[in-house]
Amino acid sequence: MSAQASAPAQPEHQPPPCDELKAEESNKPDEPQEQPDTAAAATPAAAAEEEAAQVEITYKSLVLSAHGGYDKVKLQVKKGSPAPKAGEVLVRVKACGLNFADLMARQGVYDRLPSLPVSLGMECAGIVEELGEGVTDRQVGDKVMVLNRFGLWQELVTIQTNHTFLMPGGMSFEEGAAFLVNYITAYMILFHFGNLRPNQSVLIHMAAGGVGTAAVQLCKTVDNITIFGTASASKHENLKENGVSHPIDYRGNDYVEEVRKVSPKGVDIVMDPLGGTDTCKAFNLLKPMGKLVIYGAANLLTGQKKNLMALAKSWWNQFSVTAMQLIGANKAVCGFHLGHLDEELELITSVVTTLLDLYKQGKIKPKIDTMFSFEQVGDAMRQMQEKKNVGKVVLIPDMPKEENATEEEKKDPKGEGKKEETKKDAKGEAKKDAKGEAKKDAKGDAKKDAKEEAKKDAKKDAKEDAKKDTKNEEN
Amino acid sequence: MSAQASAPAQPEHQPPPCDELKAEESNKPDEPQEQPDTAAAATPAAAAEEEAAQVEITYKSLVLSAHGGYDKVKLQVKKGSPAPKAGEVLVRVKACGLNFADLMARQGVYDRLPSLPVSLGMECAGIVEELGEGVTDRQVGDKVMVLNRFGLWQELVTIQTNHTFLMPGGMSFEEGAAFLVNYITAYMILFHFGNLRPNQSVLIHMAAGGVGTAAVQLCKTVDNITIFGTASASKHENLKENGVSHPIDYRGNDYVEEVRKVSPKGVDIVMDPLGGTDTCKAFNLLKPMGKLVIYGAANLLTGQKKNLMALAKSWWNQFSVTAMQLIGANKAVCGFHLGHLDEELELITSVVTTLLDLYKQGKIKPKIDTMFSFEQVGDAMRQMQEKKNVGKVVLIPDMPKEENATEEEKKDPKGEGKKEETKKDAKGEAKKDAKGEAKKDAKGDAKKDAKEEAKKDAKKDAKEDAKKDTKNEEN
C-alpha cells in the first residue's frame, strides 16, 4: 500500500546516467570529501578547461537504496560527466530542500518514485553551469531554483529548463531551496482550492513547519485573516512572530475546543497534512461554505520505518465523505499533492511568478530552521520527522565547516537540551505507540509487528542517540 | 430517508398565523377568485381604511397538504389579517419562483420543511405593504425580492427584512421571482467553491434550466471560459444564444466523450445537479485542481411521486470519495445547498449585492420560461419536472387573463405539440421506469411499489391530460 495508491503511472524524468560509486556514509561533518572546485567552473570556458584537465569528474549524491530508517539514504560519490540534453541545463546545486514526501519515500509509502536505488530530492537551488542544445531562456551563471519529482539531492543535476525558475536578486541559495515546494503548496491550497478572501479564518496544522510557515505568511497577504496554528508550545513565540493569531498546543489541548472558543461556528479553511482522525475533526470544524484541504498523511510517520500499525490504523480511519454529507453541510473537501502535478508546468509556473512577486515585495520570506551537510542527511530527516523544526530543513552539498551547526546547537553547544528532548520523545512515543496503539487497535499479526518494530526502533534510536552524543561530545 | 438526511434541525420562520379555508383547486384560469384590491392597499392609511371597512381579508396560498403527485399542492384561500411583527414587513406577492427543492418537497424527499400542511415557496417578488415595529430600512411601496426556506407561494407574506432585497429599477416582478435562488446558487458554486478564473472550462448540466441559465451568464463575466452545457437537442439554439460554447445532447450522446473531444484533459469545474452515477462521471471528468460541485439529486425525480426505486438506486450509487482518492488526483468535491444556508444571511446579502451590480451592468438577466397562475401550479411543476423549461418557471398569484399562456401555447394554441410530447414522455418514462428499472434492480416490495406507482401515475397522467386537453379546446 502506498499513500497515494490511486496515482496513475506517469513518465519520469530520469537523473543523469552515470556510473555509481558507493561511498561509506558518514555522519562526521568534518570528514574530508572530494569536492570539485565550484569557483573554477563558473564559466563555460573554465568548465571546458577543467574537463580537459580532469576527465572524470565526481559529484555527491544522496541515494535511497532500500526502504527503511534514516540510515537508508546514503551519500554516494558518483563518477561521470552529466551532460544536459536538448532543452536541459546542468545545475551545480548549492542547497536542497527536505520535504515530507522525502521521508515517506524513504519509508516506502510514496508512489511517485521509480524503482530503487534512486537519488531523492524534489527541490534545490544552484547555478546553471551548462546549457543543452536549443536552450535560450537560461544562461550560464543564472541562479535558479529547481523543482522535480526526485533526483535533486545531488551536487550536479541535469534538468529541463521549464523545471527551473530564476532566483530574484537578494535571495540566498538556502532560501531558494526552501521556496518552491512549500510556497507553491501553501499558495495552491489557500488560493486555488481554499479561495481565501478577506475576513476569513484558517486552521493551519504544523504551523511551524515549512508549508505551515509559508501558509501563515500567505494568509497575511489577505486582509484580516484569523490564523489558528498548531505546534508544540515551545514554538509558539515563533508562530506569533510569523503572524499566527492563535497558536494552539495540540499536545496539551483539544485543538477543536480551542478553535471553537474563538470561532464558535468554526473556520473557513482547514489545511490538513495529518490525515486519519484529524481529517474528520477538520471536516467538522468547517463553517458552512468551508473548505478542507488534505495534503498529506503525516500521522503515518510514527517511527523511523514504515509502521504497519500506523498504516493499518490510517487505512481503517481513512476519511471518506458522501455527496449527501457535503450537500447537507455546504462543505468542500479537496486533496492536494504537488508530486502529482508534475505535468502541470504551465500552472506551476504561473503560481511561481505570483510567489516571486510577493517575495520581491517583501511579503513572503522562507524561514530556514537548520542547514545540514549531505553527510548529515540522517540528522536532517530526524529533525523534520520528529517535528523539531521551525521553518525549513535544508541540505547543503558543500557545507563550509563554520556553518555546520544548527541554530539550536549554537545556543546549546553540547546539545544537552536536544538530546534530552529527543531521547524522551523517542522513548515515550515508541512506548506509547507500541502499548497504546497495540492495545487499542491491533489484531493478531499486526499487533506483533507493531510491538517488534517499536521495540527495535526504540533500541536502535537509543543506541544511535548514545553514539551520536558521544561523537558530539568528542567534537 | 431524505435527500439531506444529515441536516441539523434549525429554527424555522413560520408563515403568518391565520385561519385556513380550504378552497377547491381549480385549473381553470378564468374562474373568478376573491381578490383583494391591491391598489387600495398601497399605503398604510389606505390599508387601515380597508381593514376597517373589510375586517376579514383573504389571500391565496399554495399549500402542500400531503406528499405525492402534482395534485398535492392545493390552492387555498386563507382568511385573516397577516400583520408584520417587529423587524418584519408585509409583502404583497406579484410573482413566485419555482425550484427543484419545491418538487422534492412535494414528493417528501426534502428535509427543510416543517410538518404538513405548509405553504411552499422559497422565493418571490412583490411590494412592501406594511412595516413591522422598528423597521427603518424598508418603506411601504418598495419593490422587493424575498428569500425564505418556505411559505412564499402566497399573495401576502410577512417576512423579516433581512430576507428581502430591494429590486433595482427596470427589473420586472417575474425577473425578481427568477433571480435569487438561481443566481445565488450559480454564483456561489462558480465563485465561492469553483473559484472560476479566466481561461478555464466548466461543464453545466441542465444548462437550459434556471440555475443553468444563470451559471452560463455568470461564466460569461469571466474572460475566455469554455462552457459545456447539457440539454436536450431542442434547446441547443437557446443554449448558444445564452453563451454555451459546446451544447451537448445528453440523450443521444455520451457527454463525457463529447467533452473529451474538445478538452481531452477534462474540465476545471463540473456543476452537478443530477447525483447518482453522473457524479462519478463528473469526478472523473475533472482536470487536476478541478472542482466538482454537487448541488442536487435531480435523478431522484423520475416520476410524479416519491419513487422508491429511484431512491434505492440513488442510495446504492451514492457518490463517496476518500482522502487518498482526492490527494492522488488533486481534486475537490463540494456540496452546495442554498436551503441549508438560511442562517448565513450576511454571506447571502453580500452575494446578492454583487449579483445586483452585475444585473445593473446588463451582464446577467433572468430568462423566464413560462408564467403560470397559482391555479396552474400543477402544470408549472410538471413543466419543470419534465425538464421542458428553458429558463425559469414562474407562478403568478394574480394572472391577468391575456398573459395566461405560455410562450409555447401562444405558438401552438391548441397545445397539440406539447400534448403529444407530454403524453409520449409520460407514458414512455413511466413504462420504462416500471419495467426497466423494476426488472434490473428491484426486489420484493420495492418492485411492487414501483410498478403500482408507475401504473397509477401513467393512468392518472393520461386522464388528467385528456381532461386538460378538453378544457383547453373549450377555451
Side-chain angles (χ1 to χ4, degrees):
Chain A
M1 205 196 84
S2 77
Q4 281 78 37
S6 64
Q10 291 190 20
E12 293 154 2
H13 173 78
Q14 291 294 338
C18 57
D19 302 321
E20 292 188 3
L21 266 184
K22 198 162 179 182
E24 277 300 307
E25 192 197 10
S26 166
N27 278 315
K28 285 188 224 166
D30 48 349
E31 188 177 323
Q33 293 285 335
E34 280 194 277
Q35 287 167 10
D37 183 352
T38 57
T43 65
E49 225 176 85
E50 185 190 49
E51 205 178 345
Q54 179 188 339
V55 178
E56 217 171 54
I57 64 164
T58 61
Y59 58 98
K60 294 185 219 172
S61 174
L62 290 173
V63 175
L64 179 67
S65 48
H67 297 133
Y70 301 131
D71 60 343
K72 294 297 186 239
V73 182
K74 294 193 194 302
L75 180 71
Q76 294 187 359
V77 177
K78 291 186 176 179
K79 204 166 68 171
S81 316
K85 292 180 204 152
E88 293 184 343
V89 288
L90 175 69
V91 176
R92 179 160 298 273
V93 176
K94 294 297 185 181
C96 305
L98 180 54
N99 290 293
F100 255 92
D102 300 310
L103 303 179
M104 300 188 81
R106 195 200 67 229
Q107 292 197 347
V109 289
Y110 185 63
D111 71 340
R112 304 298 287 157
L113 284 187
S115 53
L116 305 189
V118 65
S119 174
L120 292 180
M122 299 172 70
E123 63 182 333
C124 68
I127 300 169
V128 172
E129 209 165 82
E130 202 180 327
L131 306 180
E133 200 187 315
V135 172
T136 55
D137 55 349
R138 293 289 177 267
Q139 297 192 324
V140 171
D142 278 349
K143 292 181 176 182
V144 291
M145 299 178 282
V146 186
L147 186 69
N148 200 42
R149 194 131 54 84
F150 59 92
L152 300 186
W153 289 356
Q154 307 195 82
E155 265 186 313
L156 288 173
V157 297
T158 55
I159 188 84
Q160 290 151 299
T161 55
N162 59 3
H163 285 244
T164 69
F165 305 90
L166 288 175
M167 286 167 58
M171 183 185 263
S172 69
F173 289 117
E174 295 81 54
E175 283 183 347
F179 194 78
L180 294 176
V181 171
N182 292 348
Y183 284 86
I184 294 171
T185 299
Y187 186 90
M188 293 183 81
I189 288 174
L190 287 173
F191 296 103
H192 288 197
F193 275 145
N195 195 11
L196 181 65
R197 283 163 296 149
N199 311 315
Q200 291 192 322
S201 52
V202 182
L203 170 60
I204 301 171
H205 282 297
M206 306 206 300
V211 174
T213 303
V216 172
Q217 292 177 5
L218 287 167
C219 282
K220 302 287 288 179
T221 66
V222 179
D223 281 348
N224 192 31
I225 300 300
T226 304
I227 309 172
F228 297 92
T230 68
S232 55
S234 63
K235 297 176 180 176
H236 284 199
E237 273 313 304
N238 288 94
L239 293 194
K240 281 183 184 167
E241 277 166 30
N242 200 32
V244 172
S245 341
H246 303 283
I248 298 172
D249 180 7
Y250 62 97
R251 290 182 179 174
N253 301 286
D254 175 356
Y255 63 83
V256 172
E257 264 180 39
E258 297 297 308
V259 171
R260 293 238 184 245
K261 278 181 198 166
V262 180
S263 277
K265 287 174 83 174
V267 295
D268 293 291
I269 300 174
V270 180
M271 291 180 60
D272 170 30
L274 302 173
T277 51
D278 286 298
T279 307
C280 297
K281 288 185 184 178
F283 184 76
N284 292 329
L285 246 184
L286 292 178
K287 272 186 192 172
M289 297 306 292
K291 290 129 196 145
L292 161 60
V293 191
I294 311 167
Y295 67 101
N299 285 343
L300 280 182
L301 294 175
T302 57
Q304 268 205 63
K305 294 182 194 170
K306 178 156 76 181
N307 182 332
L308 292 181
M309 272 310 304
L311 283 171
K313 203 172 152 185
S314 169
W315 181 256
W316 185 252
N317 288 324
Q318 193 191 176
F319 180 78
S320 158
V321 70
T322 67
M324 284 188 195
Q325 287 170 321
L326 291 167
I327 291 177
N330 280 294
K331 291 181 181 180
V333 182
C334 323
F336 182 83
H337 194 311
L338 186 56
H340 289 264
L341 285 176
D342 49 0
E343 293 197 338
E344 304 298 320
L345 279 168
E346 204 178 322
L347 178 63
I348 298 291
T349 303
S350 77
V351 172
V352 173
T353 304
T354 304
L355 288 169
L356 287 176
D357 284 343
L358 291 171
Y359 177 87
K360 288 172 201 162
Q361 292 163 34
K363 290 185 177 167
I364 58 176
K365 187 174 174 61
K367 180 169 176 57
I368 311 300
D369 172 70
T370 326
M371 289 186 276
F372 291 93
S373 68
F374 267 22
E375 288 79 1
Q376 295 169 304
V377 62
D379 294 340
M381 291 190 291
R382 181 191 302 274
Q383 173 79 355
M384 185 165 189
Q385 189 156 335
E386 295 181 354
K387 296 177 188 166
K388 301 259 179 288
N389 57 311
V390 175
K392 188 77 171 184
V393 177
V394 171
L395 290 164
I396 307 284
D398 236 359
M399 181 87 92
K401 209 172 170 182
E402 64 274 24
E403 282 183 27
N404 207 353
T406 70
E407 290 301 313
E408 270 185 49
E409 282 170 355
K410 278 179 194 161
K411 284 182 207 155
D412 177 18
K414 286 199 175 175
E416 296 297 334
K418 197 174 168 185
K419 219 188 313 170
E420 277 308 302
E421 210 181 340
T422 309
K423 270 189 192 170
K424 216 164 52 185
D425 284 357
K427 282 189 186 169
E429 279 177 21
K431 266 191 190 169
K432 206 167 129 197
D433 285 350
K435 287 194 181 168
E437 281 188 22
K439 270 188 194 165
K440 277 189 212 148
D441 311 281
K443 288 182 189 173
D445 287 352
K447 200 170 182 174
K448 210 164 128 194
D449 286 351
K451 277 192 183 169
E452 278 172 14
E453 266 192 43
K455 269 188 199 168
K456 266 190 243 164
D457 284 356
K459 270 189 194 170
K460 202 162 170 185
D461 284 356
K463 275 188 192 170
E464 278 175 12
D465 279 351
K467 272 188 198 168
K468 220 185 328 154
D469 292 347
T470 317
K471 277 185 194 168
N472 281 344
E473 278 159 15
E474 281 170 6
N475 291 339
Chain B
M1 201 196 88
S2 76
Q4 282 78 36
S6 64
Q10 291 191 20
E12 293 154 2
H13 174 78
Q14 291 295 339
C18 58
D19 301 320
E20 293 187 2
L21 265 185
K22 200 163 179 182
E24 277 300 308
E25 192 194 10
S26 167
N27 280 315
K28 288 188 224 167
D30 49 349
E31 188 178 325
Q33 293 285 334
E34 280 194 275
Q35 286 167 12
D37 182 354
T38 56
T43 65
E49 225 175 85
E50 186 191 47
E51 205 177 348
Q54 179 189 338
V55 177
E56 219 169 53
I57 64 165
T58 60
Y59 58 99
K60 294 186 219 170
S61 174
L62 291 172
V63 175
L64 180 68
S65 49
H67 297 133
Y70 301 131
D71 60 343
K72 293 297 185 240
V73 182
K74 295 195 194 299
L75 180 72
Q76 295 188 0
V77 177
K78 292 186 176 179
K79 203 167 68 172
S81 317
K85 293 181 203 151
E88 292 185 342
V89 289
L90 174 69
V91 175
R92 180 160 297 274
V93 176
K94 295 296 184 182
C96 306
L98 180 53
N99 291 292
F100 255 92
D102 300 310
L103 304 178
M104 300 188 82
R106 195 199 69 230
Q107 292 199 346
V109 290
Y110 184 64
D111 70 340
R112 306 297 288 157
L113 282 189
S115 53
L116 305 189
V118 65
S119 173
L120 291 182
M122 299 172 69
E123 62 183 333
C124 69
I127 300 170
V128 172
E129 211 165 81
E130 200 181 327
L131 306 180
E133 199 188 314
V135 172
T136 55
D137 55 348
R138 293 288 177 269
Q139 298 190 325
V140 170
D142 277 349
K143 292 181 177 182
V144 291
M145 300 179 279
V146 187
L147 187 69
N148 201 40
R149 195 132 53 83
F150 59 92
L152 301 185
W153 289 357
Q154 307 195 82
E155 265 185 314
L156 288 173
V157 297
T158 54
I159 188 83
Q160 291 152 300
T161 54
N162 59 3
H163 284 245
T164 68
F165 305 91
L166 289 173
M167 285 168 58
M171 182 184 264
S172 69
F173 289 118
E174 296 80 55
E175 282 184 347
F179 194 78
L180 293 176
V181 171
N182 292 349
Y183 283 86
I184 295 172
T185 299
Y187 186 90
M188 292 183 81
I189 288 174
L190 287 173
F191 296 103
H192 287 196
F193 275 146
N195 195 11
L196 181 65
R197 283 162 297 149
N199 309 313
Q200 292 193 322
S201 52
V202 182
L203 170 60
I204 301 172
H205 282 297
M206 305 205 302
V211 175
T213 303
V216 173
Q217 291 177 5
L218 286 167
C219 283
K220 301 288 287 177
T221 67
V222 179
D223 281 348
N224 193 32
I225 302 298
T226 303
I227 308 172
F228 298 91
T230 68
S232 56
S234 63
K235 299 177 181 176
H236 284 198
E237 272 313 305
N238 288 94
L239 293 194
K240 280 183 186 169
E241 276 167 28
N242 200 31
V244 172
S245 341
H246 304 281
I248 299 173
D249 181 7
Y250 62 97
R251 290 181 180 173
N253 301 286
D254 175 355
Y255 64 82
V256 172
E257 263 179 40
E258 296 297 309
V259 171
R260 293 233 185 251
K261 277 181 198 165
V262 180
S263 277
K265 287 175 82 173
V267 295
D268 293 292
I269 300 174
V270 181
M271 290 180 61
D272 170 31
L274 303 173
T277 52
D278 286 299
T279 307
C280 296
K281 287 185 185 177
F283 185 77
N284 293 328
L285 246 184
L286 292 178
K287 272 186 191 171
M289 298 305 293
K291 290 132 197 141
L292 161 60
V293 191
I294 311 166
Y295 67 101
N299 285 343
L300 281 183
L301 294 176
T302 57
Q304 267 205 64
K305 294 181 193 171
K306 179 156 75 183
N307 182 330
L308 292 181
M309 274 311 304
L311 283 171
K313 207 172 150 184
S314 169
W315 180 257
W316 185 251
N317 289 324
Q318 193 191 175
F319 179 78
S320 157
V321 70
T322 67
M324 282 187 196
Q325 287 170 321
L326 291 166
I327 293 178
N330 280 294
K331 290 181 181 179
V333 182
C334 321
F336 182 82
H337 193 309
L338 186 57
H340 290 264
L341 284 177
D342 50 359
E343 294 199 336
E344 305 297 321
L345 278 168
E346 203 179 323
L347 178 63
I348 298 292
T349 302
S350 77
V351 171
V352 173
T353 305
T354 305
L355 288 168
L356 288 176
D357 284 343
L358 291 171
Y359 177 86
K360 289 172 201 162
Q361 292 162 34
K363 291 187 175 167
I364 58 175
K365 188 174 173 64
K367 180 170 176 55
I368 311 300
D369 172 70
T370 327
M371 288 186 280
F372 291 92
S373 69
F374 266 21
E375 288 79 0
Q376 294 170 305
V377 61
D379 293 342
M381 290 190 293
R382 183 192 302 276
Q383 174 79 355
M384 185 166 190
Q385 190 157 335
E386 293 181 354
K387 295 178 189 166
K388 301 257 180 287
N389 58 311
V390 175
K392 188 78 172 184
V393 176
V394 171
L395 289 166
I396 307 283
D398 236 358
M399 182 88 91
K401 209 171 171 182
E402 64 273 25
E403 283 183 25
N404 208 354
T406 68
E407 290 302 313
E408 269 184 49
E409 282 168 356
K410 280 179 194 162
K411 284 180 209 156
D412 177 18
K414 287 203 175 172
E416 297 297 334
K418 197 173 167 186
K419 221 189 309 172
E420 277 307 303
E421 209 182 341
T422 308
K423 271 190 192 169
K424 216 166 52 184
D425 284 359
K427 283 191 186 166
E429 279 177 22
K431 266 194 191 166
K432 207 167 125 195
D433 283 355
K435 288 196 181 168
E437 278 189 25
K439 270 189 195 166
K440 274 189 217 150
D441 313 281
K443 288 183 188 174
D445 287 350
K447 202 168 180 175
K448 213 164 125 192
D449 287 352
K451 278 191 184 171
E452 279 173 14
E453 266 191 41
K455 271 187 197 168
K456 265 190 248 164
D457 284 357
K459 274 189 193 168
K460 200 162 173 184
D461 283 358
K463 278 188 192 170
E464 278 174 12
D465 278 350
K467 271 188 199 168
K468 218 182 328 153
D469 292 346
T470 318
K471 279 184 194 167
N472 282 343
E473 278 158 17
E474 281 169 7
N475 290 340

